[in-house]
């Protein structure tokens, strides 16, 4: 698979096959991903890779607090800016509606939507979940570095035939995660990355995900 194929075929997978992932493959991917760029070569990313009983224990702990709703949430940062609006908010809401449309869950069926949303905290059935964290003093440039590292990881996973789903949703349960996984106290918990063999036939993995036209993102100057 070349880079263009990996980019084109990568998407946030929300249904995985019940099939284990070889640790040697993940080690190969993560070693290669250490070549990702970072300002001053700081390499500010840290990950904990869970599978088996540790992953099951985490999922069970979060399940205890799911019925509490927002009262149990405690993210260490704003997942979306409170002032998010315009095209950015339209895109965020749009992809959600497209997903629920593919699942044939109407807007008025709140219970079904909540039940589906809860699958976030089962890693969508993935056999592997990587939890990502970084020292609290790191700023926006270093968080950008972590994003470049994650993209590198996700594209290398595609090269291996694997799929993934970056999940900032896990951040709302930072406190509960820290109860069962050793995240340093002086680090910010950032996100999860579900990893496995995607069920590419599942409707939730097949709906078109809209992208803004290039003209909305890039302006050209000095070109004929």
């Amino acid at each position: 698979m070349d880079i263009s194929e990996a980019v084109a075929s990568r998407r946030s997978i929300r249904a995985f096959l019940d099939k284990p992932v070889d640790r040697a493959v993940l080690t190969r991917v993560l070693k290669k991903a250490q070549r990702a760029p970072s300002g001053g070569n700081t390499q500010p990313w840290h990950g904990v890779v869970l599978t088996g009983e540790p992953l099951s224990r985490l999922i069970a702990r979060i399940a205890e607090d799911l019925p509490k709703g927002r009262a149990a949430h405690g993210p260490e940062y704003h997942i979306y800016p409170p002032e998010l609006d315009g095209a950015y908010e339209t895109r965020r809401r749009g992809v959600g509606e497209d997903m629920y449309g593919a699942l044939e869950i109407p807007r008025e069926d709140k219970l079904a939507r909540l039940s589906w949303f809860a699958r976030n905290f089962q890693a969508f059935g993935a056999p592997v979940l990587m939890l990502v964290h970084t020292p609290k003093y790191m700023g926006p440039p270093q968080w950008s570095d972590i994003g470049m590292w994650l993209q590198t990881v996700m594209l290398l996973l595609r090269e291996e035939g694997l799929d993934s789903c970056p999940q900032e949703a896990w951040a709302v349960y930072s406190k509960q995660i820290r109860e069962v996984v050793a995240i340093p106290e002086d680090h910010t918990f950032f996100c999860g990355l579900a990893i496995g063999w995607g069920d590419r036939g599942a409707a939730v993995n097949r709906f078109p995900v809209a992208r803004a036209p290039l003209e909305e993102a890039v302006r050209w100057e000095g070109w004929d």
Side-chain angles (χ1 to χ4, degrees), residues 10 85-92 94-95 98 208-220:
R10 191 219 62 81
D85 62 5
Y88 309 109
E89 176 67 1
T90 298
R91 294 168 192 158
R92 186 183 77 85
V95 73
D98 290 344
V209 179
R211 288 293 190 264
L214 183 62
E215 295 75 27
E216 290 186 20
V218 175
R219 186 177 72 251
W220 302 82

Side-chain angles (χ1 to χ4, degrees), residues 41-93:
N41 198 32
T42 53
Q43 304 171 59
W45 47 79
H46 295 265
V48 182
V49 186
L50 305 180
T51 194
E53 194 278 332
L55 177 55
S56 297
R57 187 168 66 248
L58 173 62
I59 290 171
R61 175 63 188 92
I62 302 303
E64 293 176 14
D65 282 357
L66 277 172
K68 299 177 183 178
R70 293 181 181 273
H73 291 183
E76 299 174 8
Y77 65 95
H78 289 297
I79 296 176
Y80 299 105
E83 63 274 16
L84 189 70
D85 62 5
Y88 309 109
E89 176 67 1
T90 298
R91 294 168 192 158
R92 186 183 77 85
R93 291 185 178 276

